[in-house]
């Protein structure tokens, strides 16, 4: 469970079993090691990746603070496989590599080990992630829970069991329906039949994108979008959702609500943080840790 450290004494405690298992898993991965061309000695990407998960687990709010923590507590250096603490610039380059290249490789490997092959039904939704009011990259948006808030939105596609298949992190002002096509396109590698979403995804463009991927989108009709729909989809779906089977099927959407609750209880939302890239790195690690727990 991700938690903040409230006292320096807590740093001397034993590494959590979740991190221990995760670090062993990282050691088993095959990650491309790009040789450094600078004068500094090379640092293993696996060691840097362990540092990022350590940062996420303890909600360390910056790479600079991570460097200070590693310098002060040698037990974490040993746990991450570091002989000495790398320079801040090394962590910055590694963070960019992880956001752009490392995460897709790691995420695909976890899903492969979880044997996620034929998820017939997936769930789609978003949740609000508040940020610091001083975050110049964040935007104002509206959510059911917070009403007006400043921050970001985490858009997810998950299986009914709660495994995260794909994600998009946007600013809070992005509409769910505008982001949905990007999520649906990323699902082409799986043989998915149904996508369940709320009324926010009732959009012609979203339905067309789903159909092009061979997926049927099931979402309630959003009466605010237009007048009473007259196409077959708008006539049939409301009737289907009132049937016993339709109610059971749409009730599976509660699974993605549990995922959001688990992520937030594990610290994915950091209301005092600022910076899009800082938030992205944190969210990516949270997603991997969430999926990794299914392997335990």
């Amino acid at each position: 469970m991700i938690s903040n450290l409230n006292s320096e004494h807590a740093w001397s405690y034993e590494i959590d079993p979740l991190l221990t298992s995760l670090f062993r898993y990282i050691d088993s991965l095959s990650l491309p090691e790009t040789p450094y061309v600078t004068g500094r000695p090379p640092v293993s990407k696996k060691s840097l990746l362990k540092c990022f998960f350590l940062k996420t687990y303890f909600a360390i709010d910056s790479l600079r603070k991570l460097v200070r923590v590693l310098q002060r507590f040698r037990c974490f250096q040993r746990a991450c496989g570091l002989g000495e603490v790398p320079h801040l610039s090394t962590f910055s380059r590694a963070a960019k590599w992880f956001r752009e290249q490392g995460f897709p490789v790691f995420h695909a490997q976890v899903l492969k080990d979880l044997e996620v092959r034929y998820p017939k039904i997936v769930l789609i939704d978003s949740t609000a992630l508040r940020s610091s009011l001083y975050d110049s990259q964040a935007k104002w948006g509206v959510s059911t829970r917070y009403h007006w808030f400043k921050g970001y939105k985490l858009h997810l596609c998950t299986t009914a069991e709660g495994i995260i298949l794909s994600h998009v992190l946007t600013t809070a002002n992005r509409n769910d329906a505008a982001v949905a096509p990007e999520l649906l396109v990323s699902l082409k590698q799986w043989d998915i039949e149904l996508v369940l979403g709320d009324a926010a995804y009732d959009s012609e463009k979203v339905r067309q994108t789903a159909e092009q991927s061979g997926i049927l989108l099931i979402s309630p009709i959003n009466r605010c979008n237009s007048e009473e729909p007259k196409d077959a989809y708008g006539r049939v779906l409301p009737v289907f959702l009132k049937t016993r089977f339709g109610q059971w099927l749409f009730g599976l959407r509660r699974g993605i609500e549990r995922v959001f609750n688990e992520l937030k209880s594990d610290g994915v939302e950091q209301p005092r943080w600022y910076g899009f890239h800082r938030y992205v790195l944190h969210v990516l690690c949270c997603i991997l840790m969430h999926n990794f727990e299914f392997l335990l």
Side-chain angles (χ1 to χ4, degrees):
M1 181 177 185
I2 302 171
S3 61
N4 291 308
L5 264 66
N6 297 320
S7 67
E8 294 184 0
H9 180 67
W11 286 102
S12 62
Y13 290 172
E14 184 180 356
I15 298 294
D16 186 273
L18 172 62
L19 282 182
T20 303
S21 300
L22 181 58
F23 286 3
R24 284 200 298 265
Y25 183 79
I26 292 174
D27 288 332
S28 69
L29 295 177
S30 177
L31 297 177
E33 295 288 350
T34 304
Y36 286 87
V37 296
T38 64
R40 297 191 180 96
V43 183
S44 169
K45 282 188 170 65
K46 293 182 180 180
S47 294
L48 294 170
L49 191 54
K50 293 176 184 178
C51 293
F52 292 148
F53 282 110
L54 191 74
K55 173 183 180 297
T56 301
Y57 185 86
F58 292 117
I60 300 172
D61 59 9
S62 69
L63 294 177
R64 189 178 300 276
K65 187 174 181 180
L66 173 64
V67 171
R68 292 201 300 266
V69 167
L70 291 171
Q71 289 173 341
R72 181 168 183 176
F73 302 99
R74 295 190 61 83
C75 61
F76 294 127
Q77 293 183 38
R78 293 192 295 271
C80 296
L82 295 173
E84 60 181 24
V85 180
H87 191 269
L88 175 62
S89 61
T90 301
F91 281 108
S92 297
R93 291 195 301 271
K96 181 179 180 181
W97 165 82
F98 178 66
R99 292 192 302 266
E100 297 176 356
Q101 303 176 41
F103 174 81
V105 175
F106 199 140
H107 189 224
Q109 184 62 49
V110 172
L111 293 180
K112 180 180 178 181
D113 292 339
L114 286 171
E115 298 183 348
V116 180
R117 298 176 182 174
Y118 311 109
K120 297 298 182 182
I121 301 175
V122 298
L123 319 175
I124 184 172
D125 206 350
S126 70
T127 190
L129 299 180
R130 294 169 295 171
S131 69
S132 169
L133 294 178
Y134 301 101
D135 186 353
S136 60
Q137 296 177 312
K139 302 295 182 183
W140 287 94
V142 180
S143 76
T144 304
R145 180 177 180 181
Y146 302 130
H147 303 292
W148 282 99
F149 75 101
K150 188 175 185 179
Y152 304 95
K153 271 188 179 181
L154 177 59
H155 306 259
L156 294 182
C157 275
T158 74
T159 65
E161 296 78 18
I163 299 173
I164 299 173
L165 299 180
S166 62
H167 83 284
V168 176
L169 184 69
T170 68
T171 50
N173 60 333
R174 292 291 303 278
N175 182 271
D176 288 358
V179 181
E182 183 176 351
L183 281 171
L184 295 175
V185 169
S186 66
L187 300 176
K188 287 185 176 180
Q189 58 181 302
W190 291 287
D191 185 20
I192 295 171
E193 296 180 357
L194 301 175
V195 171
L196 307 180
D198 58 23
Y201 297 98
D202 177 31
S203 164
E204 185 66 25
K205 182 178 180 180
V206 176
R207 289 199 294 270
Q208 290 177 354
T209 303
E211 291 174 1
Q212 292 170 1
S213 301
I215 302 172
L216 175 62
L217 172 70
I218 297 181
S219 67
I221 300 298
N222 190 343
R223 304 300 181 185
C224 298
N225 288 344
S226 61
E227 298 179 355
E228 184 73 19
K230 298 181 180 180
D231 59 348
Y233 181 90
R235 294 193 301 269
V236 173
L237 192 62
V239 177
F240 169 74
L241 291 178
K242 292 180 181 179
T243 65
R244 180 174 297 181
F245 176 72
Q247 292 175 351
W248 170 83
L249 181 64
F250 200 68
L252 295 176
R253 284 198 66 257
R254 289 190 292 270
I256 198 169
E257 298 297 336
R258 288 193 296 271
V259 172
F260 286 133
N261 288 337
E262 291 171 3
L263 287 173
K264 289 197 172 184
S265 66
D266 286 347
V268 70
E269 184 183 44
Q270 297 292 336
R272 299 181 66 179
W273 284 18
Y274 59 90
F276 181 75
H277 286 160
R278 181 178 297 182
Y279 230 121
V280 168
L281 178 63
H282 180 72
V283 167
L284 294 182
C285 290
C286 286
I287 289 174
L288 289 175
M289 293 176 74
H290 172 84
N291 281 351
F292 178 75
E293 290 190 72
F294 285 92
L295 289 174
L296 301 179

